[in-house]
């Protein structure tokens, strides 16, 4: 089981449609299960750093096999976990699950964190 380029394109298209609908200028990163970039797009008007943050969110979600929102909640209870290497504990990253296995993740940055997650979620819905 692996994330295909076609799957990544569907996710990206779903994300872009949601971002456009809401007029959110975001960057969208789709990574494989090892956290390597499959697709990355910075939409017009998205700030430069959003591309890096979207990638980190996706890599974190792939590595932990959990939404980055969950890590954000853990940090509230255990602040020391924010220092774990290679993790971004900010909402906006979602794992891509297939038959119970994580095959990759999508990360979004550039809007408010809950809006980033909304865009990422729309990308996952487009894959269904």
């Amino acid at each position: 089981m692996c994330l295909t380029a076609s799957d990544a394109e569907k996710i990206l298209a779903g994300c872009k449609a949601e971002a456009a609908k809401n007029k959110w200028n975001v960057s969208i990163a789709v990574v494989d299960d090892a956290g390597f970039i499959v697709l990355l797009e910075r939409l017009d008007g998205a700030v430069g750093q959003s591309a890096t943050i979207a990638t980190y969110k996706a890599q974190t979600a792939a590595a932990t096999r959990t939404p980055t929102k969950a890590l954000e909640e853990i940090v509230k209870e255990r602040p020391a976990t924010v220092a774990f290497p290679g993790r971004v504990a900010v909402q906006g990253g979602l794992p891509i699950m297939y038959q119970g296995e994580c095959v990759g993740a999508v990360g979004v940055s550039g809007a408010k964190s809950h809006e980033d997650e909304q865009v990422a979620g729309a990308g996952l819905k487009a894959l269904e």
Side-chain angles (χ1 to χ4, degrees):
M1 293 180 283
C2 68
L3 182 68
T4 66
S6 176
D7 293 337
E9 289 169 2
K10 289 175 188 173
I11 292 167
L12 183 67
C15 289
K16 287 174 68 172
E18 184 70 16
K21 180 177 83 174
N22 292 288
K23 297 182 174 132
W24 294 330
N25 302 324
V26 297
S27 289
I28 303 155
V30 181
V31 301
D32 65 15
D33 61 324
F36 292 102
I37 294 174
V38 177
L39 284 175
L40 173 64
E41 187 165 339
R42 189 175 119 204
L43 303 183
D44 291 342
V47 298
Q49 190 177 13
S50 66
T52 301
I53 296 168
T55 302
Y56 286 157
K57 286 180 180 183
Q59 290 171 332
T60 300
T64 62
R65 276 66 172 147
T66 188
T68 54
K69 168 90 171 131
L71 300 175
E72 188 174 347
E73 295 301 319
I74 290 169
V75 168
K76 290 177 185 175
E77 295 174 23
R78 298 184 58 208
T81 61
V82 77
F84 284 5
R87 287 191 180 184
V88 173
V90 179
Q91 188 174 7
L94 296 174
I96 303 166
M97 305 300 289
Y98 179 75
Q99 296 182 350
E101 297 291 324
C102 180
V103 295
V106 58
V108 178
S109 179
K112 295 177 182 171
S113 292
H114 69 278
E115 295 167 345
D116 291 343
E117 186 171 292
Q118 180 179 329
V119 172
L124 293 183
K125 285 182 184 162
L127 191 57
E128 294 175 353

